Amino acid sequence: MTAPLTPPPPPRDQSPHDPWQPPGDPGTAGAPGDPGAGYPVYAPPQDASYGADGPGMKTELIEAVVVTVVVALGGVLLGVLWWWLAPHVPLVGDVVDKSWVVYLKDSEGEQAVGVDGTFTLLAVGLGVLSALVVFLWRRRGSVPLVAALALGGLLASFLAWKLGVWLGPTKDVLAHAKSVGKGVTFSAPLKLGAKGALLAWSVAALVVHLGLTALFGPRDAEPVYGQQGAVSEDGYGAPMP
């Protein structure tokens, strides 16, 4: 006579920290037999400063427009400073064969070079200042902000050039010579000979802003690692290092 068959006992519940728990259980990224099981898993950091559906980009574009307009208006200051600080190029009017002629009083003078140099130095200084202000306002740099600095600096330089010429002496040098009289020295109109100076503001702003962002900008979050596989426990059930 044989004994009745009895069903096997139900399996014992395994603790989530059971050292015999096989890899690949729910909650781990690996699967049994996976060659990557038991190795650290990289969890990329998430930046919650901007949304993923577009509000972040919209905010950046609005900020870029504001920066472009403000920097471009700074060209008024550059134009006034250039008109005020640039050296004057002396001209002299004379009558030759009953016709008025105008010539440089000092043919070997370097005032014309000084006019271009003054514009360039002022543009570089204001470019550095604008980059510093934008960086302090928004420490986390972005492509729209950098593009706004470049475009705003170019517009500011163009505005300053036209404003300085308008504020300076008249362009009609013959009429000016006749009004002051023969042999009287007068100033030539402001003229920007080196058109490359129009890029000085933009280049200076870009270099300084990128440098400040690289040195003092916020750093990315440290990557978070998780460990797959079994977790060892001591005799009291606490996880062992």
Side-chain angles (χ1 to χ4, degrees):
M1 180 175 181
T2 59
L5 297 178
T6 57
R12 180 175 57 89
D13 293 339
Q14 291 185 342
S15 171
H17 300 291
D18 188 356
W20 300 102
Q21 184 177 3
D25 63 325
T28 62
D34 189 354
Y39 291 93
V41 177
Y42 173 71
Q46 297 180 354
D47 187 1
S49 57
Y50 292 110
D53 298 332
M57 179 57 66
K58 180 179 179 181
T59 302
E60 289 184 359
L61 292 177
I62 294 176
E63 293 175 351
V65 172
V66 173
V67 170
T68 302
V69 173
V70 173
V71 173
L73 292 178
V76 176
L77 177 60
L78 175 57
V80 173
L81 291 176
W82 181 46
W83 162 72
W84 182 34
L85 299 176
H88 298 280
V89 179
L91 300 178
V92 175
D94 197 1
V95 179
V96 178
D97 296 334
K98 298 182 180 180
S99 298
W100 279 88
V101 294
V102 178
Y103 56 89
L104 291 171
K105 183 178 181 180
D106 185 6
S107 59
E108 298 181 357
E110 298 181 354
Q111 292 87 350
V113 178
V115 172
D116 294 344
T118 301
F119 186 94
T120 303
L121 291 177
L122 290 173
V124 169
L126 291 175
V128 172
L129 180 61
S130 62
L132 179 61
V133 171
V134 171
F135 174 76
L136 293 177
W137 179 50
R138 286 291 182 267
R139 286 183 174 270
R140 183 177 296 276
S142 63
V143 174
L145 280 182
V146 174
L149 274 176
L151 179 60
L154 185 60
L155 294 176
S157 299
F158 185 81
L159 176 61
W161 173 34
K162 295 300 183 180
L163 179 61
V165 172
W166 179 72
L167 291 175
T170 177
K171 293 182 179 181
D172 192 350
V173 293
L174 287 178
H176 198 175
K178 292 177 182 179
S179 64
V180 298
K182 177 181 177 180
V184 178
T185 302
F186 62 96
S187 297
L190 277 178
K191 180 181 179 181
L192 188 61
K195 298 301 188 293
L198 296 173
L199 300 175
W201 186 316
S202 298
V203 173
L206 288 178
V207 171
V208 173
H209 187 270
L210 292 177
L212 291 174
T213 303
L215 293 175
F216 306 107
R219 298 293 186 266
D220 293 335
E222 293 294 334
V224 179
Y225 292 93
Q227 182 69 34
Q228 291 184 6
V231 179
S232 301
E233 297 179 351
D234 57 11
Y236 297 95
M240 296 178 60

